[in-house]
């Protein structure tokens, strides 16, 4: 694939921007060109947050994602807002712990991941975002597990590095949920 | 032969352009004498913004910066932060410091910036032709308050030392006057103290100097000195409002 | 060479430190707040000075003071804040003081919005403040260029004793891209500054001034400035080209609009349309020579801006109205999509056939 375009969206505090940054670092560590764009300003303080990431073999022209290859929807409003931005055949990953509605698109590949429940089972609901990331990594081979772990070491401040094993578990849990077809 | 009077080293040979009877000349000399006394320990940079003293760079025999209206304290901040061991002073009028530049002077004082402000208060805009200033007295006639300052219409005069003295930032605040030889000597002492505070890195120092403007007041030089004493002093009491040691008022 | 993932605003801050800048003054305004936030901890690390000033006006005057001493100094803001700095920029130009001013543009006029825009082209390029002066204007189109142009801005400012404005926008400031940290950080041998005020005795005194009450002296001062600007126009035109060698439809765009246009050009090429892109990297001096050359085979031009059309006037002057110059713009903080620009390309191409 020449370029991979992702939108990550949810409430502020769900670690949405962080997941995007991990994706961008993982892309860079794999020798790709990357661009990460956050929503900013009043929107952020209003409670919703989103970012877009492009990972590309070649130089990135427009850094804006017009048609996304994947959408990570952490909550209902995110699904509603960004579902139309997915390209035909794109990946729709929904956090079914938060999203109660059904996707309207029938021309995309939809996956439900009970990310908060899976994170709770690991003993820390805050890694729900990493569970979602694990699910994406399982579905999209452009991102190796190793590069994501390397990216997490980069993004997490040193004082939180004791949480790396937990995050690794979360990644696996997300990947497993796809393999087992949980809630697809 | 014994030298009993000479031009301070810190003044150039340039003749002042100030009007007859204006006390800017006295104040320039006092500042220059005090900087001379700092000697080798006192390489200095002066900053003069817009006002009658905008041409101060012609008179002070120092590295000088001409600044935009009201912004000298910000410029001085930029200079002092880059040259912490250099003596830095601004020379500002009342329109400049207390109207357009009030924000800059207050915040420089709050930060305790380690430079000295020479603040000349003559209760009027001199350079532009005698308009009402923030320091103009109630009832005082100016070219933009032809019937006299009406405080209902154009507010009350500002007391800069008193205002700054309510805050914790400044290290030295003093109001002096130059309407008599005795007062000139006191003014010199206050200026000395202010520069000393700076040299000791004790923080922000400001000397407010009550000054005359015979041309725009419409009075002859002598009457101007009398008017300053009779009209301005009651409104602008002299004295120290802040010292590093805390022994405010009347020690001059 | 080291590669780092950096936010545009942080790239500006870090590049300033690399350029030897140790003084930063600024006032908060979205979308450039990461510049002061970054420098508020980075400057103390390198023994530098960071002050969050009481206003934009104070910030630019602190810049004026520090620049007077010969030290490298920077301020940053976004559109409304740059309007407040305009007086100070005119003074810097008049007193011939080097300084770097960053504008991460947002939508206007007035308070406008906080999303990316390019409505400050006229302000940056044609003046903004009063008087006959010019500011060198660099327009970055990536986080990489925000880094390298910040380095360049300091060099150009010192070389010409002139303020340099670095233009980005909310998108470039906020986004993260990989940045290759260059080994060459700029002029090895920057010019000395014998004009600086340092308070030294034992040399002739230095005066930083833009006041000349004698009109003849002021005219002479202006002639000297214009002579300097002429030299800058001759030497400092910068631009980048993409598929211009055989293009029939030449797009002209800078900054974020150029990124989008490049995407549109590639899509047009895939459809067999001979489109190309000319991207000015200096907006003043405007790269006229390069534009003329790039437009040699073109039958029409299309200028794309995130404004109602400001640079398009300079493009028209550049090709001296010998070619039809079309314009496509979005305003208010809307970034045009490559798809929109492609539609415009197709429409113009249809008219040419």
């Amino acid at each position: 694939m020449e370029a991979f375009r992702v939108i990550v969206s949810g409430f502020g505090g769900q670690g949405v921007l962080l997941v995007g940054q991990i994706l961008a670092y993982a892309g860079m560590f794999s020798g790709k060109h990357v661009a990460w764009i956050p929503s900013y300003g009043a929107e952020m303080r209003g409670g919703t947050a989103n970012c877009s990431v492009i990972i590309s073999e070649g130089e990135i022209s427009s850094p804006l994602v017009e048609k996304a290859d994947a959408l990570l929807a952490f909550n209902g409003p995110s699904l509603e807002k960004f579902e139309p931005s997915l390209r035909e055949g794109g990946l729709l990953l929904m956090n079914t712990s938060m999203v109660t509605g059904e996707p309207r698109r029938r021309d995309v590949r939809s996956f439900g991941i009970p990310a908060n429940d899976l994170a709770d089972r690991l003993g820390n609901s805050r890694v729900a975002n990493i569970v979602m990331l694990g699910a994406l990594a399982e579905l999209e081979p452009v991102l190796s597990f190793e590069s994501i772990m390397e990216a997490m070491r980069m993004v997490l401040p040193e004082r939180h590095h004791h949480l790396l094993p937990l995050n690794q578990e979360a990644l696996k849990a997300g990947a497993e949920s796809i393999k087992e077809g949980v809630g697809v | 032969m014994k030298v009993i009077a000479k031009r301070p080293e810190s003044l150039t040979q340039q003749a002042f352009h100030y009007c007859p009877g204006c006390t800017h000349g006295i104040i320039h000399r006092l500042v220059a004498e005090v900087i001379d006394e700092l000697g080798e320990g006192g390489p200095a940079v002066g900053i003069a913004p817009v006002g009658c003293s905008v041409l101060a760079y012609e008179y002070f025999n120092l590295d000088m910066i001409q600044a935009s209206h009201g912004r000298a304290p910000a410029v001085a901040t930029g200079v002092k932060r880059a040259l912490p061991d250099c003596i830095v002073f601004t020379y500002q009028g009342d329109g400049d410091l207390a109207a357009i530049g009030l924000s800059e002077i207050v915040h420089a004082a709050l930060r305790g910036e380690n430079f000295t402000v020479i603040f000349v208060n003559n209760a009027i805009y001199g350079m532009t032709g005698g308009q009402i200033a923030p320091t103009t007295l109630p009832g005082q006639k100016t070219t933009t308050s032809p019937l006299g300052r009406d405080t209902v219409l154009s507010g009350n005069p500002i007391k800069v030392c008193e205002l700054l003295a309510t805050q914790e930032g400044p290290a030295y605040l003093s109001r002096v006057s130059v309407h008599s030889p005795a007062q000139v000597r006191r003014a010199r002492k206050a200026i000395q103290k202010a520069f000393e505070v700076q040299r000791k890195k004790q923080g922000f120092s400001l000397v407010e100097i009550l000054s005359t403007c015979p041309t725009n007041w419409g009075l002859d030089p002598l009457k101007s000195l009398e008017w300053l004493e009779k009209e301005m002093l009651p409104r602008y009491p002299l004295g120290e409002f802040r010292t590093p040691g805390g022994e405010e008022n009347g020690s001059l | 060479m080291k590669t780092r993932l950096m936010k545009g605003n942080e790239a500006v801050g870090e590049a300033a430190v690399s350029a030897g800048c140790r003084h930063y003054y600024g006032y908060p305004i979205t979308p450039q707040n990461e510049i002061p936030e970054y420098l508020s901890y980075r400057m103390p690390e390198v023994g530098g000075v960071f002050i969050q000033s009481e206003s934009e006006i104070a910030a630019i005057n602190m810049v004026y003071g520090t620049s007077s001493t010969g030290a490298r100094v920077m301020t940053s803001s976004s559109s409304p804040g740059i309007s407040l700095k305009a007086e100070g920029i005119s003074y810097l130009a008049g007193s011939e003081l080097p300084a770097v001013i960053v504008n991460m543009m947002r939508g206007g006029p007035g308070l406008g919005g906080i999303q990316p825009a390019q409505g400050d082209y006229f302000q940056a390029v044609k003046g903004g403040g009063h008087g006959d002066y010019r500011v060198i204007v660099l327009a970055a189109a990536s986080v990489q260029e925000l880094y390298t142009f910040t380095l360049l801005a300091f060099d150009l400012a010192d070389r010409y004793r002139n303020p340099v404005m670095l233009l980005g926008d909310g998108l470039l400031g906020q986004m993260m891209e990989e940045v290759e940290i260059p080994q060459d950080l700029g002029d090895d041998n920057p010019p000395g500054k014998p004009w600086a005020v340092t308070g030294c005795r034992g040399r002739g005194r230095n005066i930083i001034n833009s006041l000349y009450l004698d009109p003849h002296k002021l005219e002479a001062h202006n002639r000297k400035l214009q002579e300097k600007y002429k030299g800058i126009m001759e030497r400092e035109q910068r631009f980048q080209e993409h598929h211009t060698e055989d293009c029939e439809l030449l797009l002209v765009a800078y900054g974020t609009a150029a990124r989008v246009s490049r995407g549109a050009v590639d899509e047009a090429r895939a459809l067999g349309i001979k489109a190309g892109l000319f991207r000015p990297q200096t907006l003043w001096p405007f790269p006229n020579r390069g534009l003329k050359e790039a437009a040699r085979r073109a039958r029409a031009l299309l200028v794309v801006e995130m404004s109602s059309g400001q640079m398009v006037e300079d493009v028209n002057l550049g090709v001296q109205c010998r070619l039809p110059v079309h314009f496509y713009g979005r305003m208010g903080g809307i970034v045009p999509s490559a798809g929109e620009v492609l539609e415009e390309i197709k429409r113009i191409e249809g008219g040419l056939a």
Side-chain angles (χ1 to χ4, degrees), chain B residues 35 39 42-45 57 60-66 68 71 74-75 77-79 81-82 103-104 107 111, chain C residues 23 25 49 51 54 57-58 61-62 64-66 68-69 87 91 197-199 201 203 205-211:
Chain B
I35 289 173
V45 173
Y57 61 84
F60 285 105
N61 189 21
L62 304 165
D63 275 4
M64 292 292 292
I65 299 172
Q66 174 264 315
S68 63
R71 317 303 171 206
V75 174
T77 298
V79 174
R81 294 292 184 119
S103 170
E104 282 76 10
H107 285 274
R111 289 192 302 268
Chain C
H23 294 81
Y25 310 109
V49 173
I51 297 180
E54 59 270 32
I57 297 170
N61 281 284
M62 290 175 188
Y64 187 86
T66 295
S68 295
T69 72
E87 181 202 36
Y91 272 71
V197 301
T198 54
R201 286 174 175 173
R203 62 154 161 75
R205 68 205 190 93
N206 284 333
I207 297 170
I208 303 296
N209 178 38
S210 63
L211 176 68

Side-chain angles (χ1 to χ4, degrees), chain C residues 136 156 159-160 231-238 282 285:
Chain C
I136 298 171
L156 292 175
R159 196 176 306 156
Y160 294 106
I232 298 173
M233 274 191 271
E234 274 162 24
R235 286 188 291 274
E236 305 298 345
Q237 297 184 16
R238 286 172 164 80
T282 51

